[in-house]
Amino acid sequence: MVKTIVWKDDQVVMIDQRKLPMQERYVVCKGYRSVIRAIKGLVIRGAPAIGVAAAMGVALGALKIRANNREQFEEELDSICREIVAARPTAVNLAWAVERMRRVADETGHRGVKGIKSRLVEEARKMLDEDIAINQTMGRHGQKLLKDGSRVLTHCNAGALATGGYGTAIGVVRAAVEAGKRIEVFADETRPFLQGARLTAWELKESGIPVTVITDNSAGYFMQHGKVDAVIVGADRIAANGDVANKIGTYMVAVLAKTHKIPFYVAAPLSTIDASVKSGKEIPIEQRDEKEVTHFQGRRIAPQGVAAQNPAFDVTPHRNVSAIITEKGIITPPFKAKIRQLLASG
Ligand code: MRU
């Protein structure tokens, strides 16, 4: 399976997701600022994957700090952490990962600067391995929701490319296939970055899982014609009440699914749950460059001077969510108390 991100010889290597599926290129980050550029520019994207990238960014940054006294080292490390957290606002995995790295640095203080540095590298690498294992566990839980022959619609890319590997929503599909079920996937193309058409379709094809790319605006057509048995998406942040922020267009799909009585499942690790936000209203939504809408592959498609807006995520209210699949099991509505219990057990 594709390696989304690896730590190699004190550098971070990522597959360039802007170029897929036409070219399989890799970006090598030698310093934390190039990791930030890669996150902002969508070389790497997907909540768990940017969490891992952020952790590796902290480790890279730490390695380059020259200060030998702990106080100055920590001051510089804090400033690196702040810069990395600011790279993208919606996926909470980014802040979660940086916070975990910061804690590790605190706990290792007694080992001196050299000791902290090597412990941070170790932790970032561990987070990558953990993420893959979590996705596999989540997949094993979630696949029970799919029957042999299920036709699953997904939005954006919540696969191996959006994570350390295996995937969240696509991980559930993978696990169902591994359990011997025949599963077909409808991949919404997911304008404007085309995560569905380019990335989900690419990785499913590579894995030999049947996939059909559809335009975003035809999801309703396929549901109305009885072609979709379940929707599974990932998440960038889940609020304490179960509201789900995910790629723009997810809300539309959730509303359609409810109208057509199709289950709408969200697969996400506990690191995507942010108990500090009570509801989706408090989740910051990234607004990206309007050029991503007015231009296609560098060429203008909308009239010069026309206004455009480009919110990158939307919030699906918890009442539209049939179940949340996590590494600790599946929860169904009402979510609030169950989310609290899950986090307490994590
Ligand atoms: O802008 P992106 O591509 O980073 O958005 C990604 C998504 O919305 C994914 O669906 C989400 O992160 C879940 S990934 C397992």
Side-chain angles (χ1 to χ4, degrees), residues 75 81 85 114 144 152 154 186 295 327:
E75 225 170 82
C81 289
V85 168
K114 217 170 143 205
K144 294 179 198 135
V152 175
T154 191
F186 283 107
H295 289 65
E327 68 271 34

mmCIF file with all atom_site columns, all heavy atoms in Angstrom, residues 75 81 85 114 144 152 154 186 295 327:
data_model
loop_
_atom_site.group_PDB
_atom_site.id
_atom_site.type_symbol
_atom_site.label_atom_id
_atom_site.label_alt_id
_atom_site.label_comp_id
_atom_site.label_asym_id
_atom_site.label_entity_id
_atom_site.label_seq_id
_atom_site.pdbx_PDB_ins_code
_atom_site.Cartn_x
_atom_site.Cartn_y
_atom_site.Cartn_z
_atom_site.occupancy
_atom_site.B_iso_or_equiv
_atom_site.pdbx_formal_charge
_atom_site.auth_seq_id
_atom_site.auth_comp_id
_atom_site.auth_asym_id
_atom_site.auth_atom_id
_atom_site.pdbx_PDB_model_num
ATOM 1  N N   . GLU A 1 75  ? 11.958  27.369 24.577  1.00 0.00 ? 75  GLU A N   1
ATOM 2  C CA  . GLU A 1 75  ? 11.375  28.602 24.023  1.00 0.00 ? 75  GLU A CA  1
ATOM 3  C C   . GLU A 1 75  ? 11.265  28.483 22.500  1.00 0.00 ? 75  GLU A C   1
ATOM 4  O O   . GLU A 1 75  ? 10.234  28.785 21.911  1.00 0.00 ? 75  GLU A O   1
ATOM 5  C CB  . GLU A 1 75  ? 12.290  29.762 24.370  1.00 0.00 ? 75  GLU A CB  1
ATOM 6  C CG  . GLU A 1 75  ? 11.560  30.990 24.886  1.00 0.00 ? 75  GLU A CG  1
ATOM 7  C CD  . GLU A 1 75  ? 12.572  31.983 25.418  1.00 0.00 ? 75  GLU A CD  1
ATOM 8  O OE1 . GLU A 1 75  ? 13.131  32.717 24.582  1.00 0.00 ? 75  GLU A OE1 1
ATOM 9  O OE2 . GLU A 1 75  ? 12.815  31.982 26.655  1.00 0.00 ? 75  GLU A OE2 1
ATOM 10 N N   . CYS A 1 81  ? 6.209   25.028 17.515  1.00 0.00 ? 81  CYS A N   1
ATOM 11 C CA  . CYS A 1 81  ? 4.889   24.382 17.702  1.00 0.00 ? 81  CYS A CA  1
ATOM 12 C C   . CYS A 1 81  ? 3.768   25.340 17.315  1.00 0.00 ? 81  CYS A C   1
ATOM 13 O O   . CYS A 1 81  ? 2.819   24.952 16.638  1.00 0.00 ? 81  CYS A O   1
ATOM 14 C CB  . CYS A 1 81  ? 4.708   23.936 19.152  1.00 0.00 ? 81  CYS A CB  1
ATOM 15 S SG  . CYS A 1 81  ? 5.749   22.518 19.565  1.00 0.00 ? 81  CYS A SG  1
ATOM 16 N N   . VAL A 1 85  ? 0.966   24.623 14.385  1.00 0.00 ? 85  VAL A N   1
ATOM 17 C CA  . VAL A 1 85  ? -0.474  24.554 14.702  1.00 0.00 ? 85  VAL A CA  1
ATOM 18 C C   . VAL A 1 85  ? -1.271  25.497 13.802  1.00 0.00 ? 85  VAL A C   1
ATOM 19 O O   . VAL A 1 85  ? -2.406  25.202 13.423  1.00 0.00 ? 85  VAL A O   1
ATOM 20 C CB  . VAL A 1 85  ? -0.728  24.874 16.196  1.00 0.00 ? 85  VAL A CB  1
ATOM 21 C CG1 . VAL A 1 85  ? -2.203  25.095 16.470  1.00 0.00 ? 85  VAL A CG1 1
ATOM 22 C CG2 . VAL A 1 85  ? -0.206  23.749 17.082  1.00 0.00 ? 85  VAL A CG2 1
ATOM 23 N N   . LYS A 1 114 ? 19.776  16.912 24.048  1.00 0.00 ? 114 LYS A N   1
ATOM 24 C CA  . LYS A 1 114 ? 20.012  15.810 23.097  1.00 0.00 ? 114 LYS A CA  1
ATOM 25 C C   . LYS A 1 114 ? 18.978  14.689 23.293  1.00 0.00 ? 114 LYS A C   1
ATOM 26 O O   . LYS A 1 114 ? 18.419  14.144 22.340  1.00 0.00 ? 114 LYS A O   1
ATOM 27 C CB  . LYS A 1 114 ? 21.428  15.263 23.336  1.00 0.00 ? 114 LYS A CB  1
ATOM 28 C CG  . LYS A 1 114 ? 22.098  14.861 22.061  1.00 0.00 ? 114 LYS A CG  1
ATOM 29 C CD  . LYS A 1 114 ? 23.554  14.565 22.278  1.00 0.00 ? 114 LYS A CD  1
ATOM 30 C CE  . LYS A 1 114 ? 23.935  13.400 21.377  1.00 0.00 ? 114 LYS A CE  1
ATOM 31 N NZ  . LYS A 1 114 ? 25.069  12.653 21.873  1.00 0.00 ? 114 LYS A NZ  1
ATOM 32 N N   . LYS A 1 144 ? -18.340 -4.369 10.180  1.00 0.00 ? 144 LYS A N   1
ATOM 33 C CA  . LYS A 1 144 ? -19.541 -5.130 10.582  1.00 0.00 ? 144 LYS A CA  1
ATOM 34 C C   . LYS A 1 144 ? -20.812 -4.424 10.108  1.00 0.00 ? 144 LYS A C   1
ATOM 35 O O   . LYS A 1 144 ? -21.870 -5.032 10.014  1.00 0.00 ? 144 LYS A O   1
ATOM 36 C CB  . LYS A 1 144 ? -19.585 -5.273 12.116  1.00 0.00 ? 144 LYS A CB  1
ATOM 37 C CG  . LYS A 1 144 ? -18.451 -6.134 12.649  1.00 0.00 ? 144 LYS A CG  1
ATOM 38 C CD  . LYS A 1 144 ? -18.503 -6.245 14.164  1.00 0.00 ? 144 LYS A CD  1
ATOM 39 C CE  . LYS A 1 144 ? -17.159 -6.711 14.703  1.00 0.00 ? 144 LYS A CE  1
ATOM 40 N NZ  . LYS A 1 144 ? -16.707 -5.954 15.865  1.00 0.00 ? 144 LYS A NZ  1
ATOM 41 N N   . VAL A 1 152 ? -21.096 1.533  -1.385  1.00 0.00 ? 152 VAL A N   1
ATOM 42 C CA  . VAL A 1 152 ? -20.776 2.578  -0.406  1.00 0.00 ? 152 VAL A CA  1
ATOM 43 C C   . VAL A 1 152 ? -20.416 3.873  -1.120  1.00 0.00 ? 152 VAL A C   1
ATOM 44 O O   . VAL A 1 152 ? -19.565 3.875  -2.015  1.00 0.00 ? 152 VAL A O   1
ATOM 45 C CB  . VAL A 1 152 ? -19.556 2.128  0.449   1.00 0.00 ? 152 VAL A CB  1
ATOM 46 C CG1 . VAL A 1 152 ? -19.108 3.228  1.389   1.00 0.00 ? 152 VAL A CG1 1
ATOM 47 C CG2 . VAL A 1 152 ? -19.882 0.861  1.224   1.00 0.00 ? 152 VAL A CG2 1
ATOM 48 N N   . THR A 1 154 ? -18.679 7.539  -0.782  1.00 0.00 ? 154 THR A N   1
ATOM 49 C CA  . THR A 1 154 ? -17.780 8.307  0.099   1.00 0.00 ? 154 THR A CA  1
ATOM 50 C C   . THR A 1 154 ? -17.485 9.667  -0.524  1.00 0.00 ? 154 THR A C   1
ATOM 51 O O   . THR A 1 154 ? -17.627 9.856  -1.735  1.00 0.00 ? 154 THR A O   1
ATOM 52 C CB  . THR A 1 154 ? -16.486 7.521  0.414   1.00 0.00 ? 154 THR A CB  1
ATOM 53 O OG1 . THR A 1 154 ? -15.773 8.205  1.466   1.00 0.00 ? 154 THR A OG1 1
ATOM 54 C CG2 . THR A 1 154 ? -15.578 7.388  -0.793  1.00 0.00 ? 154 THR A CG2 1
ATOM 55 N N   . PHE A 1 186 ? -18.698 4.304  -4.549  1.00 0.00 ? 186 PHE A N   1
ATOM 56 C CA  . PHE A 1 186 ? -18.925 5.493  -5.364  1.00 0.00 ? 186 PHE A CA  1
ATOM 57 C C   . PHE A 1 186 ? -18.079 6.600  -4.739  1.00 0.00 ? 186 PHE A C   1
ATOM 58 O O   . PHE A 1 186 ? -18.248 6.909  -3.555  1.00 0.00 ? 186 PHE A O   1
ATOM 59 C CB  . PHE A 1 186 ? -20.393 5.937  -5.327  1.00 0.00 ? 186 PHE A CB  1
ATOM 60 C CG  . PHE A 1 186 ? -21.299 5.102  -6.179  1.00 0.00 ? 186 PHE A CG  1
ATOM 61 C CD1 . PHE A 1 186 ? -22.186 4.205  -5.603  1.00 0.00 ? 186 PHE A CD1 1
ATOM 62 C CD2 . PHE A 1 186 ? -21.266 5.220  -7.566  1.00 0.00 ? 186 PHE A CD2 1
ATOM 63 C CE1 . PHE A 1 186 ? -23.024 3.433  -6.397  1.00 0.00 ? 186 PHE A CE1 1
ATOM 64 C CE2 . PHE A 1 186 ? -22.114 4.449  -8.366  1.00 0.00 ? 186 PHE A CE2 1
ATOM 65 C CZ  . PHE A 1 186 ? -22.991 3.555  -7.776  1.00 0.00 ? 186 PHE A CZ  1
ATOM 66 N N   . HIS A 1 295 ? -10.257 28.796 -10.974 1.00 0.00 ? 295 HIS A N   1
ATOM 67 C CA  . HIS A 1 295 ? -9.290  28.250 -11.920 1.00 0.00 ? 295 HIS A CA  1
ATOM 68 C C   . HIS A 1 295 ? -9.299  26.718 -11.837 1.00 0.00 ? 295 HIS A C   1
ATOM 69 O O   . HIS A 1 295 ? -9.599  26.151 -10.791 1.00 0.00 ? 295 HIS A O   1
ATOM 70 C CB  . HIS A 1 295 ? -7.873  28.745 -11.603 1.00 0.00 ? 295 HIS A CB  1
ATOM 71 C CG  . HIS A 1 295 ? -7.689  30.198 -11.920 1.00 0.00 ? 295 HIS A CG  1
ATOM 72 N ND1 . HIS A 1 295 ? -8.374  31.189 -11.260 1.00 0.00 ? 295 HIS A ND1 1
ATOM 73 C CD2 . HIS A 1 295 ? -6.910  30.816 -12.849 1.00 0.00 ? 295 HIS A CD2 1
ATOM 74 C CE1 . HIS A 1 295 ? -8.028  32.379 -11.754 1.00 0.00 ? 295 HIS A CE1 1
ATOM 75 N NE2 . HIS A 1 295 ? -7.140  32.176 -12.722 1.00 0.00 ? 295 HIS A NE2 1
ATOM 76 N N   . GLU A 1 327 ? -11.685 3.652  16.977  1.00 0.00 ? 327 GLU A N   1
ATOM 77 C CA  . GLU A 1 327 ? -10.867 2.483  17.324  1.00 0.00 ? 327 GLU A CA  1
ATOM 78 C C   . GLU A 1 327 ? -11.355 1.809  18.597  1.00 0.00 ? 327 GLU A C   1
ATOM 79 O O   . GLU A 1 327 ? -10.970 0.692  18.913  1.00 0.00 ? 327 GLU A O   1
ATOM 80 C CB  . GLU A 1 327 ? -9.382  2.870  17.412  1.00 0.00 ? 327 GLU A CB  1
ATOM 81 C CG  . GLU A 1 327 ? -8.984  3.784  18.570  1.00 0.00 ? 327 GLU A CG  1
ATOM 82 C CD  . GLU A 1 327 ? -9.094  5.271  18.232  1.00 0.00 ? 327 GLU A CD  1
ATOM 83 O OE1 . GLU A 1 327 ? -10.000 5.658  17.466  1.00 0.00 ? 327 GLU A OE1 1
ATOM 84 O OE2 . GLU A 1 327 ? -8.260  6.040  18.756  1.00 0.00 ? 327 GLU A OE2 1
#
